[in-house]
Amino acid sequence: MERGKRIQHILMEVAQARERVRQQKPLIHEITSPVTMNDCANITLALGASPIMAEEIREVADVVKQAKALLLNMGVLKKERLRAMYCAAEVAIEQHIPIVLDPVGVGSTLWRTTEIRAFLQTIPVSIIKGNSSELYCLLETTHAGTKGVDAQDEMQLEPSFWQDGAAYLHATLGVTGKNDVVADATGAIFLQNGCATLPYVTGTGCMIGALAAAYSSVATPFIATAAAIMSMAIVGEQAVGCGPGSLHATLCDGIYSLDKDSFFQYGQITTPMKV
């Protein structure tokens, strides 16, 4: 497909996904960090979906059976929470619903890195969302030693690296940072919206994961990932002049107000390769 038409096609699908979430109000099961649980719930509600956050091992299976997508955020990783994630993921696979994994802080400790890699070797996921340092770690064979959730790593990796990585991990990758990238085994795109203040607000990365899960219930993994990253970035751009405190509330308000026309008006996509 010719590049300009491809970009317009992506924007159209992203816009349609935003409308479908609002219309269908899908139930999204989110097992996420207690640090950002409230943020993820509120951003999910603002988009128009309905969050539920059960992690008790005796009920997660029943909850997943009612859900349209599953988010697994490994920000505060404990053995009990990890067991619940395995249980939820196994049911999600049986139910044929998408799984979004946010490997928060992978590479920061050996135990965390080992557990997250082992999880990916066992559980097929639809989307992996993380910063470039975290996702680079998943594609390395050794302990990479990232700085964690707030890593300021600005690796300028070619889109082909992420495309190959997506093929290796059998998932769509959502790479956030100075250059946001969405990649699957067929290609990659750059998303060029952004907000320099986002790193000063705890949980914006986790919120993108929640948005990706909601979008994945109504769209392909590639479109869902693009929609999630674009939504947060566009809303962030519109919050010019906000400090960290006011930005936090403005992001939620912005996602609530976001409509299909916003993507055509503000969305910035480039296709460095055929996708």
Side-chain angles (χ1 to χ4, degrees):
M1 184 183 293
E2 189 268 323
R3 179 175 294 185
K5 291 182 178 178
R6 175 58 175 162
I7 291 173
Q8 287 301 308
H9 181 70
I10 292 171
L11 288 170
M12 178 63 74
E13 291 193 337
V14 165
Q16 290 174 346
R18 201 278 166 265
E19 290 302 293
R20 284 195 292 267
V21 170
R22 182 173 278 148
Q23 293 164 1
Q24 297 179 23
K25 297 177 172 51
L27 180 68
I28 311 300
H29 188 184
E30 303 176 5
I31 302 180
T32 187
S33 163
V35 176
T36 59
M37 184 180 293
N38 187 60
D39 301 312
C40 290
N42 282 331
I43 209 72
T44 303
L45 287 167
L47 190 67
S50 180
I52 186 168
M53 296 177 161
E55 59 180 70
E56 168 55 50
I57 194 71
R58 290 170 289 191
E59 69 173 354
V60 288
D62 290 336
V63 173
V64 176
K65 289 176 183 178
Q66 304 172 54
K68 299 300 182 183
L70 173 65
L71 169 66
L72 302 176
N73 178 301
M74 297 195 168
V76 179
L77 200 57
K78 296 183 177 180
K79 288 184 178 180
E80 296 80 4
R81 187 169 291 120
L82 193 57
R83 285 183 59 222
M85 288 181 177
Y86 272 105
C87 179
E90 288 166 0
V91 177
I93 294 167
E94 294 173 358
Q95 297 294 311
H96 304 289
I97 66 171
I99 302 172
V100 177
L101 178 71
D102 192 339
V104 179
V106 64
S108 59
T109 69
L110 181 58
W111 179 76
R112 175 179 295 269
T113 303
T114 300
E115 292 295 340
I116 293 176
R117 286 179 173 164
F119 187 90
L120 282 171
Q121 290 173 358
T122 306
I123 302 295
V125 302
S126 300
I127 297 168
I128 306 173
K129 186 236 56 94
N131 63 46
S132 59
S133 182
E134 290 165 341
L135 296 186
Y136 183 78
C137 175
L138 292 178
L139 297 171
E140 286 291 285
T141 57
T142 59
H143 177 56
T146 69
K147 298 176 184 177
V149 298
D150 296 318
Q152 297 299 312
D153 190 281
E154 295 297 351
M155 292 178 290
Q156 302 299 306
L157 296 171
E158 293 295 325
S160 57
F161 173 85
W162 300 117
Q163 179 183 349
D164 292 343
Y168 174 75
L169 293 170
H170 304 289
T172 295
L173 303 184
V175 189
T176 59
K178 183 176 181 180
N179 294 306
D180 296 330
V181 181
V182 179
D184 64 13
T186 67
I189 58 173
F190 282 128
L191 304 178
Q192 296 181 309
N193 297 98
C195 173
T197 317
L198 287 182
Y200 294 94
V201 177
T202 298
T204 54
C206 297
M207 286 188 273
I208 293 173
L211 293 173
Y215 279 123
S216 73
S217 70
V218 299
T220 66
F222 191 94
I223 294 301
T225 306
I229 295 174
M230 289 180 68
S231 295
M232 183 63 73
I234 288 172
V235 168
E237 282 184 341
Q238 304 308 305
V240 177
C242 287
S246 57
L247 177 61
H248 190 277
T250 301
L251 290 174
C252 201
D253 290 344
I255 292 296
Y256 176 80
S257 301
L258 194 70
D259 60 25
K260 60 184 179 64
D261 294 331
S262 302
F263 298 102
F264 292 104
Q265 185 174 359
Y266 302 112
Q268 298 293 323
I269 300 175
T270 59
T271 56
M273 61 172 58
K274 184 177 181 181
V275 295

